[in-house]
Amino acid sequence: AQTVTQSQPEMSVQEAETVTLSCTYDTSESDYYLFWYKQPPSRQMILVIRQEAYKQQNATENRFSVNFQKAAKSFSLKISDSQLGDAAMYFCAYRVSGNTPLVFGKGTRLSVIA
Amino acid sequence: GAVVSQHPSWVICKSGTSVKIECRSLDFQATTMFWYRQFPKQSLMLMATSNEGSKATYEQGVEKDKFLINHASLTLSTLTVTSAHPEDSSFYICSARVGRGVGQPQHFGDGTRLSIL
C-alpha cells in the first residue's frame, strides 16, 4: 500500500524566518510524482510545488524548495522568508503513473508569527 | 491555468433530502475526476474516482447508494448525497486532472460545505 507520512501535526515559524516541513512516503513504484499542496483557511487546495522521482535536482518555486531524498523516501518542503500568508495546512501528496488519484498525508498546520 | 468550478459552495438542508454537488472543468477536458471528503482538521479522504462515460470506482467503505456519482461529459461530474443525514455533514472537494500523465497536477474545486440539520 502506498502511504504518505507527515510526522509534524503543527509547526510555527517567525515571519521572515525559514521552516522545513517533513514528509516520508512508502512505495515500490519507480515512476511517481510528489507534490506539496497548501490549504489556507478558505480551504482551497493550492499546488505549491512538485517533484518527479526521476529528477535528482530538487524542485524550487520562488521561496519554496524541496529536499528530495529518493533512497530515504523523504520529501521535505522548505519555506524561506516566511510570510503571514504562508499560514495554512500543508499536505504532502504522492501519485504513481496511470489513472490514479493523489494519496495525501495527514497534513501539517503551519502558523506564522508576526 | 486550469480551473475547476464546484457548486454550491455551501448548502444547508434538512435530514432526509438529497443534495447534488456539481464539479466542472472550465477550460480543459477532464477524463477523470476525483471526489474527496474532508472532516475538520483532517486530511482529504478519497471517496471515488469518476471516469467519463463509465461507472465510478468507489473506495472501500464508501456507500455507492448513498453517494451517487455521475460523469456524463468531459467537463462535468456530479456527486449526489441521497437521503442525507447529519453524519453526512462534511466538506466535499472535487478534483480533475488533464490527461493521465503521472506529472499532471490535480486541480481542485473550492469545495462544498454540506450541513445537514
Side-chain angles (χ1 to χ4, degrees), chain A residues 31-33 35 37 39 41-47 50 52 89 91 95-107 109, chain B residues 32 34 36 38-44 46 49 51 59 91 93 95 97 100-111 113:
Chain A
D31 184 19
Y32 56 88
Y33 254 84
F35 303 81
Y37 279 85
Q39 188 179 42
S42 66
R43 305 193 79 168
Q44 181 185 15
M45 293 292 286
I46 302 168
L47 176 64
R50 58 178 168 169
E52 184 178 8
M89 280 289 289
F91 293 101
R95 188 175 75 227
V96 298
S97 60
N99 195 22
T100 57
L102 287 169
V103 175
F104 287 94
K106 291 187 175 182
R109 182 174 301 280
Chain B
T32 304
F34 305 96
Y36 293 86
Q38 186 179 30
F39 291 104
K41 298 185 178 181
Q42 294 190 22
S43 187
L44 281 71
L46 180 68
T49 299
N51 296 296
E59 295 299 299
F91 191 68
I93 309 176
S95 177
R97 188 167 72 225
R100 297 188 175 193
V102 65
Q104 294 293 335
Q106 281 183 218
H107 303 284
F108 289 83
D110 287 343
R113 187 184 306 275

Side-chain angles (χ1 to χ4, degrees), chain B:
Chain B
V3 176
V4 175
S5 174
Q6 187 172 341
H7 179 81
S9 58
W10 197 354
V11 58
I12 303 173
C13 60
K14 294 181 179 180
S15 182
T17 59
S18 294
V19 179
K20 179 183 284 188
I21 302 171
E22 292 188 349
C23 181
R24 295 180 183 273
S25 57
L26 297 185
D27 52 358
F28 66 99
Q29 292 183 331
T31 54
T32 304
M33 289 186 177
F34 305 96
W35 287 94
Y36 293 86
R37 183 174 182 176
Q38 186 179 30
F39 291 104
K41 298 185 178 181
Q42 294 190 22
S43 187
L44 281 71
M45 180 188 75
L46 180 68
M47 299 176 65
T49 299
S50 168
N51 296 296
E52 185 267 337
S54 63
K55 291 183 178 180
T57 302
Y58 290 82
E59 295 299 299
Q60 189 174 12
V62 178
E63 299 178 58
K64 299 179 182 181
D65 295 332
K66 161 69 76 175
F67 300 100
L68 300 179
I69 292 174
N70 182 279
H71 195 157
S73 75
L74 287 172
T75 59
L76 174 64
S77 177
T78 60
L79 167 66
T80 301
V81 184
T82 61
S83 186
H85 291 286
E87 58 266 28
D88 299 323
S89 298
S90 189
F91 191 68
Y92 295 87
I93 309 176
C94 72
S95 177
R97 188 167 72 225
V98 180
R100 297 188 175 193
V102 65
Q104 294 293 335
Q106 281 183 218
H107 303 284
F108 289 83
D110 287 343
T112 297
R113 187 184 306 275
L114 176 62
S115 297
I116 309 299
L117 304 178

